[in-house]
Amino acid sequence: MTARVIDGTAVARRVREDVGRGVAQLVAAGGRAPGLATVLVGDDPASEVYVRNKRRLCVAAGMQDLHRHLPGDVDQASAAALVDELAADPQVSGILLQLPTPRHLDSDALIARIPAEKDVDGLTTANAGLLAQGRPGLRPCTPAGVMALLDEYDVPLAGAEAVVVGRSVLVGKPMAQLLLARHATVTVCHSRTRDLPEVCRRADVLVVAAGIRGLVGRDAVKAGATVIDVGIHRGDDGLVGDVESDAVAEVAGALTPVPGGVGPMTIAMLLANTLTAARVQQGLAD
Amino acid sequence: MTARVIDGTAVARRVREDVGRGVAQLVAAGGRAPGLATVLVGDDPASEVYVRNKRRLCVAAGMQDLHRHLPGDVDQASAAALVDELAADPQVSGILLQLPTPRHLDSDALIARIPAEKDVDGLTTANAGLLAQGRPGLRPCTPAGVMALLDEYDVPLAGAEAVVVGRSVLVGKPMAQLLLARHATVTVCHSRTRDLPEVCRRADVLVVAAGIRGLVGRDAVKAGATVIDVGIHRGDDGLVGDVESDAVAEVAGALTPVPGGVGPMTIAMLLANTLTAARVQQGLAD
C-alpha cells in the first residue's frame, strides 16, 4: 500500500482563490480591500524570502501590501511605536511581525501590542485564550492550515484518535485545541513521552510538529492513518520533514509531502485570517 | 488491593494554613491584607451555601471579606457597574462572581470585565490564554486543586500517561494544560470518544470531570493508577462522584473520595489565588 499524497500546494491554491473571491466581494459590497502589514526587522535572508512570498500572495489575492521594514538595529521603543501606529491605522487589517526578530528585541512584548482583531498570525495571548475557551478568534496559521487539509481530504475527526507530537505555543498546543473542538480524542506527546512510537500508533490522525528530522518512522504509524508532517529541515538532498516519508508512506493511508504539504497552507491561512479580520473590522462579517 | 485514599480535606486545610501564614507575612511586610469580593446575584440556596463557605474561610485565613450581594432581578448594566467598581477598588484583590447567575444576565460578559489580575477564579479569556501559552497567571481553582493533590501525594507526572475525561472550559481543558506543563503525555476524552474505558485504561493518572454519575467503572482503570474524581452528584445515599468508587478502589493505586477529595481543594486554591493576586498587585510577589 502507498499512502495517498495530501497535496498542500493544490489546497493552498484553492484557499487563496477563495480568499481572492472574498476580497472582491468585500470591495463590491462597499468595503475596503484588506491590508496586510508585514513587519520585517533587519536583513535575515530567510526571513526576507518568507516575507516576500507573503507580500506577493497578498497582492495576488487583491489585498493591500502594507509592508514595513525596520533596520536591524532598531530599538524596542521604535519597534513598539511602529506596531502601535499599525494598530491604530484603519487601512491595516492584519499585522504580522516576522519572527525571529533580532536578539536585542523582545518580540513577545511587540506581539502583545498587536490588537487581537489584527493578530492574523494568531499568536497573541488574547487569541490563545479565545481558542482555549472555544470562542471566535483568529487561529494560528499552521494549525489552521492542517485543519483545512484534513477537511479538504474528508478525514473523519469526530471520535477519531488524534495524536499531536510537539507542544509548542505556535503549533502543537493550538493544534490539539482545534482537533478537540472537532470532537477528536486528542493526545499530546513530546520529548518526555515514554514510548513515542506506541502512543503514535494509536492515531487515526497523526500530526507531527516536533522539529526533529525523521522522528516518526514506520513503527510509529498505524496502517491507514492520516499523517501530517509539519516539520521542515534542509537536508543534503533537499527539504525533509519530521516523518520518514518513504517508509511511512508504505503504511499510512494518507501523508503530506515535504515540501508541498503543510508549508503552502500557512501563508494561505494567513491570507484567510487577514480577510476575516478585515470583514470583522468593517462590520461585514458573515 | 485497596486504593490509598487521597485526603482532600486534610490537604485543603494545609493549603489554607499556608495561605494564612502568607497573609500574615504580607501584612508584616507592610502590605494590605488581601480582599476577596464574592459577588452573589439572587438567593439561590446552593449558591448561598457556597459563597458563605468561601467568605468564612477567607476570614479564617486573615483576608478581608468584601462580599457584595445583588438582587436577583438586577439588570446587566448595574451588575457590570458593580464589577467595574470592584475592579477599580485597590482594597479588592480578587473578584469571584458566583455562578450560575440568573438567566437574564450574561455572565460571560460580566466575567470579561474582571481584570485578569483580579480573576481569582481563573475564568477570564486572558487567564486562559496565559495558561495556554505557559505564562504566569491565575489558574482555575479546581484544576489547580487537583495539581496540588497530585503533588502532595508525590504522584509522578513527567512522562506519565494522564487521561482527562471531560473538556469543559472550567475544568477539563485547563486540567489538560496543567498536566502537559508538568510533562505528562496527556489525552483528553469526552462524550464523542469511541471507547472510553479503553482510553482510560492507558492512564497512570486519570482525572474524571465529565459530570456524569458513575461514568468511570473498574473496567476503565489500570491497576495502580491514581484516580481523581471531580464529579459531585447528590444521590439517595449522600454525595457521589463520576467514578464508581467502591469498585475502582479495588484496582486503583490511589483515589479521591467524594465528598472530601477535590471539593475542599477548590476553595483552598481560591484563597491561594487571592493571596497571589494581592502580592502581585502590591508589588510584593516572590
Side-chain angles (χ1 to χ4, degrees):
Chain A
M1 178 172 144
T2 300
R4 185 175 181 191
V5 176
I6 295 178
D7 186 348
T9 304
V11 177
R13 188 185 310 118
R14 283 200 288 280
V15 170
R16 293 197 309 268
E17 288 167 358
D18 283 348
V19 170
R21 276 188 290 275
V23 169
Q25 284 167 5
L26 181 66
V27 172
R32 270 191 310 276
L36 175 62
T38 47
V39 177
L40 176 64
V41 185
D43 305 291
D44 177 67
S47 291
E48 282 188 344
V49 170
Y50 291 134
V51 167
R52 197 180 312 137
N53 279 330
K54 290 168 187 173
R55 295 174 63 190
R56 180 174 57 81
L57 294 171
C58 160
V59 169
M63 300 189 185
Q64 302 176 69
D65 169 20
L66 304 174
H67 177 67
R68 300 293 284 264
H69 189 191
L70 291 172
D73 62 353
V74 69
D75 63 19
Q76 183 79 19
S78 304
L82 174 63
V83 174
D84 292 351
E85 177 199 326
L86 297 170
D89 183 346
Q91 293 290 327
V92 174
S93 315
I95 302 170
L96 178 143
L97 178 66
Q98 183 67 38
L99 298 175
T101 56
R103 264 173 222 203
H104 69 280
L105 293 179
D106 179 348
S107 60
D108 282 350
L110 295 175
I111 288 168
R113 305 182 86 89
I114 300 175
E117 65 273 16
K118 294 192 177 186
D119 168 33
V120 287
D121 240 357
L123 296 187
T124 57
T125 301
N127 275 313
L130 292 168
L131 173 57
Q133 295 192 329
R135 300 176 194 268
L138 294 166
R139 308 311 191 202
C141 299
T142 299
V146 172
M147 297 308 291
L149 286 178
L150 294 172
D151 283 341
E152 188 76 18
Y153 281 78
D154 293 322
V155 177
L157 294 174
E161 289 247 11
V163 174
V164 177
V165 184
R167 52 175 166 170
S168 70
V169 165
L170 209 61
V171 183
K173 288 176 146 203
M175 189 76 248
Q177 304 270 10
L178 290 169
L179 290 163
L180 189 60
R182 295 289 297 279
H183 314 299
T185 299
V186 181
T187 301
V188 180
C189 299
H190 43 78
S191 57
R192 305 289 285 273
T193 292
R194 271 197 306 248
D195 187 339
L196 185 67
E198 186 202 310
V199 177
C200 290
R201 274 197 307 273
R202 300 170 185 162
D204 302 307
V205 176
L206 177 62
V207 180
V208 188
I212 299 172
R213 180 179 175 165
L215 178 69
V216 165
R218 183 180 170 142
D219 65 327
V221 177
K222 180 163 76 173
T226 299
V227 180
I228 306 288
D229 188 352
V230 181
I232 187 154
H233 311 271
R234 197 166 296 280
D236 296 336
D237 40 356
L239 297 174
V240 294
D242 287 359
V243 174
E244 290 188 336
S245 53
D246 289 349
V248 166
E250 291 172 18
V251 287
L255 173 64
T256 56
V258 175
V262 174
M265 294 302 295
T266 300
I267 297 188
M269 301 317 288
L270 169 69
L271 300 181
N273 274 349
T274 305
L275 173 59
T276 299
R279 282 179 173 152
V280 170
Q281 288 158 31
Q282 299 181 33
L284 293 165
D286 299 330
Chain B
M1 178 172 143
T2 298
R4 184 174 182 193
V5 176
I6 295 178
D7 186 348
T9 304
V11 177
R13 188 185 310 120
R14 282 200 288 278
V15 170
R16 293 197 309 268
E17 287 166 359
D18 283 348
V19 170
R21 276 188 288 275
V23 170
Q25 283 167 5
L26 181 67
V27 172
R32 268 192 310 276
L36 175 62
T38 47
V39 177
L40 177 64
V41 185
D43 305 292
D44 177 67
S47 291
E48 283 188 344
V49 171
Y50 290 134
V51 168
R52 198 179 312 136
N53 279 330
K54 289 169 187 172
R55 295 174 62 190
R56 181 173 56 81
L57 294 172
C58 161
V59 169
M63 300 190 186
Q64 304 176 68
D65 168 20
L66 304 174
H67 177 66
R68 300 294 284 264
H69 189 190
L70 291 173
D73 62 352
V74 68
D75 62 19
Q76 182 79 21
S78 305
L82 174 63
V83 174
D84 292 350
E85 178 199 326
L86 297 170
D89 184 346
Q91 294 289 327
V92 174
S93 316
I95 303 170
L96 179 143
L97 176 66
Q98 183 66 37
L99 299 175
T101 56
R103 263 173 224 201
H104 70 280
L105 293 179
D106 179 350
S107 59
D108 281 351
L110 295 175
I111 289 169
R113 304 182 87 89
I114 300 175
E117 65 274 16
K118 293 191 178 187
D119 168 32
V120 286
D121 241 356
L123 296 187
T124 57
T125 302
N127 274 314
L130 292 169
L131 172 57
Q133 295 192 328
R135 299 176 195 267
L138 294 166
R139 308 310 190 201
C141 299
T142 299
V146 172
M147 297 308 292
L149 286 177
L150 294 172
D151 283 341
E152 188 77 16
Y153 281 79
D154 293 322
V155 177
L157 294 174
E161 288 247 12
V163 174
V164 177
V165 184
R167 53 175 166 171
S168 70
V169 166
L170 209 61
V171 183
K173 287 175 147 204
M175 189 77 249
Q177 304 271 12
L178 290 169
L179 289 163
L180 188 60
R182 296 289 297 280
H183 314 301
T185 299
V186 181
T187 300
V188 180
C189 299
H190 44 78
S191 57
R192 305 290 286 274
T193 293
R194 270 196 308 248
D195 187 339
L196 185 67
E198 185 201 310
V199 177
C200 290
R201 273 198 306 274
R202 299 170 186 161
D204 302 306
V205 176
L206 178 62
V207 180
V208 188
I212 299 172
R213 180 179 174 165
L215 178 69
V216 164
R218 183 181 171 143
D219 65 327
V221 177
K222 180 164 76 173
T226 298
V227 180
I228 307 288
D229 188 352
V230 181
I232 188 152
H233 312 272
R234 196 165 296 279
D236 296 336
D237 40 355
L239 296 175
V240 294
D242 286 359
V243 174
E244 290 188 336
S245 54
D246 290 349
V248 165
E250 292 172 20
V251 286
L255 173 65
T256 56
V258 176
V262 174
M265 293 302 295
T266 300
I267 297 187
M269 301 318 287
L270 169 69
L271 301 181
N273 274 349
T274 306
L275 173 58
T276 300
R279 281 178 174 153
V280 170
Q281 288 158 32
Q282 298 181 33
L284 293 165
D286 298 330

